[in-house]
Amino acid sequence: MRVLVLLLSLWAVLPLPASAQGTRGAAPLSLADVLRLAEANNASLAVARQEAALAEADVIAARQRPNPEFEAESEGWRPGSDGGFGNGQELSLRLSQPFELGGRRTSRVAAARAGRAAADATLADAVRQVRRATGRAYFALAGARAEADAAGRAIEEIDRVIAVNRARYEQGEVSGGELRRLEVERLRFADDQLAAELATRRATNDLRALIGVGRLDDPIELAEGLAVPSAVPPPGGIEGLRSIALEQRPDVAALRHERGRAEADARLQRALRTPSPTLSGGYKRDFGENGLILGVSIPLPVFDRNQSGLARADAGIRLADARLRQVETAVAVEVQQALDLVDVSRRRVETIERDYLARAREARDSVAAAYRAGEADLIDYLDAQRAFRDVQRAHTRALVELHLSHFELQAAIGALPGDPRS
């Protein structure tokens, strides 16, 4: 029995193996780590990669030349005739080869290559959007964790005061009404803690789904908090950022490639107006007489000169131009809004830290000390606690928004969000 007790005791104090610990013993993930995992495992990126691969198949198909055609024909053979099979019929063997003129194949390949380039740019834009969403989820989780920690500290402070007041009540120093009021007021702080815990779980689920690793209920440890990012002046001001965005944004590049594909398709539709001849040659045996077959087939564009294809191609070019102008305008607005968000978010953080956070903490601490000394009433104490939590919550939200604003600016100018080089 003593041996069993000893073994159980050792099992309780020894560390669990890594497989039993799950991800709780895993190393904390930095922002770079989660971005790398998202690029490797995100389900939507896997779909985008397969769609880009389909565009390569279109290029392969566009390079192919028309296949030759073999034709065999027999006429006039009567079974049982004296001439036999070879001499008792008219036998024709013919091989035909179509030829594409007017640059059809060149235009078709150019259109397919432009489509592949557009698909690659669309894939790059999908990577940009996934990194953007992953960074937002990372800092949302960091903010939720900070809120949960603050809520936990606040309720610990309330519990300490309740314990002290309960002892004072037992000694007759405070009334039962004041103690009960404080115990009821604890619900506000407990609800704040539960809300922060729920936000943390939701943010963890969002981040897990984006990086595509492990179960959704596995915890994630973060290596980075909500430190204020350094302010980097934008190169060239707003006009410089707009120029960078129009040059780097993959969604803009995709539309430019789409316009190139529309132009190549227009050339192809014009080439289709040129008739493509089919040359043929073969062998003919006519009841014992041998001969050669030579022929050419040329479609005559009398009625259909591909008018509908040309009209559709010209409309496609105009549509591509309109879409490109629309996106370029939207990009300029997005860059301006992202830059404004960075500026306002940084000023909000600086204002809260300079004018409110330290003062709210000092007011809370001084009122708490006075309340414990019996020099302040319960209402003043609770008001100071609530005011500090409100300022603390606003500070956390402002820090999260500041980090997200930097991500939004990087995404707006077409850089990879979270890349320190951008």
Side-chain angles (χ1 to χ4, degrees), residues 5-266:
V5 172
L6 178 61
L7 290 176
L8 291 175
S9 301
L10 289 175
W11 178 82
V13 298
L14 288 176
L16 292 174
S19 60
Q21 291 179 355
T23 58
R24 294 183 184 275
L29 295 176
S30 66
L31 178 60
D33 293 333
V34 297
L35 293 175
R36 174 180 51 80
L37 290 172
E39 285 195 46
N41 303 306
N42 186 268
S44 62
L45 285 185
V47 174
R49 291 188 180 99
Q50 295 306 315
E51 290 176 347
L54 290 177
E56 178 61 27
D58 294 336
V59 176
I60 296 174
R63 293 195 186 111
Q64 305 306 310
R65 299 181 184 275
N67 288 323
E69 182 179 351
F70 175 75
E71 181 182 356
E73 184 177 318
S74 172
E75 293 184 7
W77 178 60
R78 293 185 298 275
S81 62
D82 295 337
F85 181 80
N87 297 324
Q89 64 176 319
E90 183 179 326
L91 179 65
S92 300
L93 303 177
R94 184 181 292 106
L95 185 66
S96 303
Q97 175 63 56
F99 289 90
E100 294 184 305
L101 302 181
R104 291 188 186 184
R105 181 171 176 270
T106 301
S107 299
R108 189 171 61 244
V109 171
R113 286 176 174 170
R116 175 58 198 264
D120 290 340
T122 301
L123 174 59
D125 190 60
V127 172
R128 179 178 70 98
Q129 296 293 351
V130 167
R131 289 176 68 100
R132 184 184 200 172
T134 303
R136 293 184 66 88
Y138 187 90
F139 288 112
L141 178 55
R145 289 274 175 85
E147 277 294 297
D149 293 341
R153 290 191 297 269
I155 203 167
E156 288 175 0
E157 170 66 19
I158 291 294
D159 287 340
R160 283 194 295 268
V161 174
I162 290 175
V164 171
N165 279 16
R166 185 174 291 115
R168 295 171 63 189
Y169 168 72
E170 293 174 354
Q171 296 175 3
E173 297 179 6
V174 297
S175 66
E178 182 171 340
L179 177 60
R180 286 190 294 273
R181 170 67 186 277
L182 189 58
E183 290 174 339
V184 171
E185 192 67 26
R186 185 185 185 277
L187 175 61
R188 182 192 300 270
F189 294 91
D191 186 67
D192 188 22
Q193 185 183 37
L194 291 174
E197 181 182 349
L198 180 59
T200 301
R201 293 185 182 184
R202 287 177 174 174
T204 302
N205 293 339
D206 292 340
L207 186 56
R208 274 285 180 194
L210 285 166
I211 64 178
V213 177
R215 302 182 310 174
L216 290 181
D217 57 349
D218 286 339
I220 295 179
E221 296 299 328
L222 303 184
E224 301 177 24
L226 292 175
V228 179
S230 58
V232 179
I238 182 61
E239 293 301 327
L241 290 178
R242 288 173 181 169
S243 299
I244 293 174
L246 293 177
E247 180 181 352
Q248 293 186 160
R249 284 276 291 256
D251 52 344
V252 176
L255 288 176
R256 288 172 179 162
H257 290 304
E258 288 291 347
R259 193 193 187 285
R261 179 164 63 176
E263 291 179 342
D265 184 65

Side-chain angles (χ1 to χ4, degrees), residues 265-402:
D265 184 65
R267 292 194 297 270
L268 175 61
Q269 297 302 321
R270 290 184 176 87
L272 291 176
R273 301 177 64 182
T274 302
S276 293
T278 300
L279 301 181
S280 61
Y283 163 79
K284 182 176 183 179
R285 186 173 180 85
D286 189 2
F287 294 96
E289 298 292 332
N290 296 324
L292 295 178
I293 299 175
L294 296 176
V296 59
S297 173
I298 302 177
L300 300 178
V302 177
F303 303 108
D304 184 4
R305 296 181 56 83
N306 198 28
Q307 297 92 332
S308 63
L310 287 172
R312 188 178 297 108
D314 292 338
I317 292 177
R318 294 192 297 270
L319 177 61
D321 287 336
R323 286 176 174 171
L324 183 57
R325 290 194 300 270
Q326 180 185 30
V327 169
E328 287 176 346
T329 302
V331 166
V333 174
E334 186 177 345
V335 171
Q336 181 66 66
Q337 291 176 342
L339 191 60
D340 292 341
L341 181 61
V342 170
D343 179 55
V344 172
S345 298
R346 184 170 296 278
R347 287 161 53 194
R348 180 181 291 119
V349 170
E350 293 173 351
T351 300
I352 293 174
E353 290 183 346
R354 182 184 64 246
D355 299 333
Y356 298 100
L357 188 61
R359 296 177 183 177
R361 181 180 292 108
E362 292 174 359
R364 180 203 61 174
D365 294 342
S366 62
V367 172
Y371 177 72
R372 286 191 291 268
E375 300 174 358
D377 57 22
L378 179 61
I379 299 300
D380 293 336
Y381 170 76
L382 293 176
D383 287 343
Q385 289 287 344
R386 295 188 198 114
F388 177 71
R389 279 295 292 129
D390 290 340
V391 173
Q392 195 176 44
R393 191 178 295 108
H395 181 242
T396 301
R397 285 198 299 264
L399 284 174
V400 172
E401 286 298 324
L402 178 58

